[in-house]
Amino acid sequence: MENAVLITIGDEILSGNTVDTNSNFIATELKNIGIRVSQIFTISDEIETIKNTLQSAFEMGDLVITTGGLGPTRDDKTKKALAEFFNDEITLDEVTFEHLRGYMERRGRLDILERNREQAFVPAKSTVFQNQYGTAPCMMMKLDGKLSFSLPGVPYEVKPLVKDQIIPYLKEHFNLNYIVTRIISVVGIPESILADMIENWELTLPENLTLSYLPIGTRVKLRLTATGDNERVLQQQLEEEIEKLFPLIGDSIVATTEDKIEKILGELLSERKMTISTAESCTGGELARLITSNSGSSQYFMGGIVPYATEKKIEILKVSKNTVDQYTVVSEQVAQEMAKGCQQLFDTDISLSTTGVAGPGKGEDGKEVGTVFYTIRVKDQERTFKLYMPHLERADFIYFVSQKMIQDLVRILVNG
Amino acid sequence: MENAVLITIGDEILSGNTVDTNSNFIATELKNIGIRVSQIFTISDEIETIKNTLQSAFEMGDLVITTGGLGPTRDDKTKKALAEFFNDEITLDEVTFEHLRGYMERRGRLDILERNREQAFVPAKSTVFQNQYGTAPCMMMKLDGKLSFSLPGVPYEVKPLVKDQIIPYLKEHFNLNYIVTRIISVVGIPESILADMIENWELTLPENLTLSYLPIGTRVKLRLTATGDNERVLQQQLEEEIEKLFPLIGDSIVATTEDKIEKILGELLSERKMTISTAESCTGGELARLITSNSGSSQYFMGGIVPYATEKKIEILKVSKNTVDQYTVVSEQVAQEMAKGCQQLFDTDISLSTTGVAGPGKGEDGKEVGTVFYTIRVKDQERTFKLYMPHLERADFIYFVSQKMIQDLVRILVNG
C-alpha cells in the first residue's frame, strides 16, 4: 500500500463553482501514514466517465478514494457506476438503513426517512463505513488486493470518515512505510537565488529524501520529505540535513518545523509571553481571522478591530482628524496612529494596522487600487511599510498583505 | 472549441501542502465564454507522467491548459516534457529574454537576470504570451487544430494571463457557444425534500438546460445552466424556468442571480440603505472578512470588532461583568449584550455577534467545543441562536457559523 489515486466527482468542481478542498485534506492524512497520492482525477458525474476513471486509477495505485456524487438527488450517478464497474448489484443494507433511521431520529426528521431510504442501498459486496454526520454511507470495495473507498462530497462528512475510520483501517491492515516531512521557512531570498545558494547541498541529499520549493508571498517554503521504514531514523536524517542549511542561509530561516506562518507566530508569542492586537481597514478582518485560526490564540490575541468607516478610526482608535485631513486616510501617518491606538485599546505588546485600497473600486480619497500602508508596532518601536500591487484581485490582495505582515512580524521578532 | 481539459502539475498539490485554486479560476473563466472543463488531471512533476497526461488530455478536449512546473528551480520538469511531447527543441527566445530584462529592471533586480535566463528558453514552435507579473512565460502550442497553453503555477500570475490574454485570444479565434448560468439560493429546505418538491419541474426542463444541487451549510444552491448560440435566448429561457419555481418553493428562495451569500447581503443592504457591524469572539474576524470580501462593502459595513479577551468585551462593548459572571462568557446573554454594544459602538442598523468555542481546546469557562451563541440584531429587534457542532474542525466551524449567520440575516431581511 504505497500509492493512492483520488477521484473527485462533481460538476460543481469542473464548472468552477466550488473549490475542491477534500483532495487536499485526504492527501495530507494519507501522507502522514506513508501513502503518497500519485494522481488526482476530477471528473464529471457520468457513469461511463466514472467507470473509465476507476479503471485508470486501479492501474496506477493500490488505493482509490472517490469523493462526491452520493447525494439523494437525481444528478448523482456514482453508486450506479460503482456497481457496474465491480459487476455487483445494488441492494438495501439493513444495518445502514438502521443507522440512517437513528441519524434521522436524533435530528427529529423521521418524516423524511423514506425519502432518504435510497441512501441505504449499496453494492452487495461492499463493506460499509457509517457516516456519523450525513446520510450517504462510505463504501469500501476490494479488487485484486487493491482497495477503493467511495465517500460523499461534503467536506465535514469527509473529514471524520477519513480520520476516524479509513486511516485507522489502513493502519491496521497494512504494513505502511513512513513519510516524514519538515518545512523550512525562508524569508527575504528570491527563489532563484535561494536555489543557487543551496544547490550543492541539494545535490548531495540522500536518495530517500526529496526537496520541493513552495513560494508563498515573500516567503519560500522548502519542503524536505524522507521515506523509509523507521520513523526515528528519518527524523534524524532530516534534522541532520537541516543543520547543514544554517551555515548557508541561516539568517533567512524563520522556522524549521511549522508550516503555517500563523502557527510560527503563535509559538513565538507564547514562548515570549507577548500579546498582540490588530486594527484593519483594507484587510477587513483577514488578519484577525488568520491569527485566530491558530488554536490556542486566545492566549496571546487580545482582540482586533475593523474600523472600516473613517469616523470609526477617529472615534475608536483616536486617529487624529487633522492627520486624516492632511495626509488622507490611506497614508503612512494614519497607519501609524491606528497601530498606536490599537495597542492602547487592547493593551498589548504588539499591534498591527492596515489602511489601503483593496479594489476593484477606488478608495474615497482617490488613492490607487492596490495601495496599502501597514504598521507593525512592537512595544514602542514601530515600522511602517507600503505595498503597491495593482495586479492582485481583491481577495488575493487581502490574502497577500495579511500573509506578508505576519511574515514581516515573525522576521522582526526573530532578528530584532 | 467546446471542451477543455486542465492539467495541474505539482507535488505540492498531491502532497496536500497547497490547495489548487487555479483550476477553479480557469474553469470559471472558460465557462463564461462557453467552454466546458470536462476533466482536471492533477499530476506530479515527472516527464513521463506529463507526456502521458498531455496525450490523454488531447484525446478528450480541444483545449488543454497546464499550470505549474515552470519555476526556475531544479524540481520543475514541465518545459522539457512539453518539448518532448511536441517533438520540439527548446531554444532561447530573444523577445522573451528582453521582456524578462525589462521585468527585472523595473524591480531593480538586474543582478539576477542571468540566473533567470533559463526562463526565456521555450519550445521553438511555441507562441509566447508574456507574463507581466512573474518570470515564467506562458507558451501556446498547436496540435491538429487543438491548442495547449502552459502557465506557471502562482495564482496571481495565472489570473492576469488567463483573463487578459488567453480568454481574449480564444474569443478572437473561435466561434464559441454561450453558456449562461443562474444560481437559485434556497434556504430552509433539506436537499432531499427540495428534490421531491421540484421533481416535476426538473423532468420537463428543455434539453439544453442542466440542473445541479449544491448544498452549502443550510442553503441549497440550484445551478441552472443553459447552452446555445444566442445569449439573449438563453437568458430568457432561464428566466422562464426560474419563474416556474416560485409557485413551488417561492418562500424559500432568497436569491436567483447572485451566487455568493455576501453579495446577496450586499445587494440587500445597498438597496435598503442599511448599515451593519460585527462583534466576533469565536469566529475571530471571519465574519468581517466575509462581509468585506464583497467589493463596495464600505458603503454599508461600518466596522467590526474582535474582542477576544473577555475584559475587552466588557470594556469596549459594555457587556456587563455581572452577566459574564452569572451566565459565563459563552452564553445567550453575552451574545445579546455584545450585539447591542456593537450596534452602539458603530452606530449601525444591524449588528451581528458571536461567542463560542471553536476548539480544539476547551473554552475557559468549560463550555464544550463546537458550541456557539450568535445574535442578529436589526434595529431594536434581536434574535439569538445556538449551534452545537462538535464534529467540525476549527476552520470549518468558523466558516460554517459565519456562512450560516449571513444566510439567516438574509432570510430575516427578506421574510421579516
Side-chain angles (χ1 to χ4, degrees), chain B residues 160-230:
Chain B
L161 276 170
V162 170
K163 223 170 177 159
D164 305 337
Q165 300 197 60
I166 296 177
I167 296 289
Y169 179 91
L170 294 172
K171 276 164 102 169
E172 193 185 322
H173 289 81
F174 297 91
N175 253 333
L176 300 170
N177 234 334
Y178 288 93
I179 298 186
V180 183
T181 296
R182 291 277 294 270
I183 306 276
I184 302 116
S185 291
V186 182
V187 292
I189 310 179
E191 186 183 359
S192 64
I193 296 195
L194 180 61
D196 263 20
M197 291 171 81
I198 63 174
E199 187 175 22
N200 289 334
W201 169 82
E202 183 178 350
L203 290 171
T204 58
L205 283 175
E207 278 260 312
N208 67 323
L209 264 61
T210 58
L211 178 74
S212 296
Y213 290 75
L214 314 170
I216 295 202
T218 53
R219 180 168 57 125
V220 178
K221 299 199 283 185
L222 298 173
R223 194 186 58 221
L224 200 56
T225 305
T227 314
D229 56 11
N230 185 325

Side-chain angles (χ1 to χ4, degrees), chain A residues 174-206:
Chain A
F174 298 92
N175 252 334
L176 301 171
N177 234 333
Y178 288 94
I179 297 185
V180 183
T181 296
R182 290 278 294 272
I183 306 275
I184 302 116
S185 290
V186 181
V187 293
I189 309 180
E191 187 184 357
S192 65
I193 296 194
L194 179 61
D196 263 20
M197 289 171 81
I198 63 173
E199 187 176 22
N200 289 334
W201 170 81
E202 184 178 349
L203 291 172
T204 58
L205 284 175

Side-chain angles (χ1 to χ4, degrees), chain A residues 15-17 24 40 42 74 115 133 159 196 199 223 286 289 292 303-304 306 312 345 391 394 396, chain B residues 15-17 24 40 42 74 115 133 159 196 199 223 284 286 289 292 303-304 306 312 345 391 394 396:
Chain A
S15 70
N17 236 293
N24 183 265
I40 305 169
T42 307
R74 196 164 294 275
R115 230 181 235 112
Y133 303 106
K159 287 183 181 179
D196 263 20
E199 187 176 22
R223 193 186 61 222
E286 167 65 12
R289 189 206 61 77
T292 60
V306 187
K312 295 299 161 190
L345 182 69
H391 57 289
R394 184 177 181 86
D396 293 335
Chain B
S15 69
N17 237 293
N24 183 266
I40 305 169
T42 307
R74 197 165 292 276
R115 230 181 236 114
Y133 302 106
K159 288 183 181 177
D196 263 20
E199 187 175 22
R223 194 186 58 221
E286 168 65 12
R289 188 205 63 75
T292 60
V306 187
K312 295 298 160 191
L345 182 68
H391 56 289
R394 185 178 181 85
D396 294 333

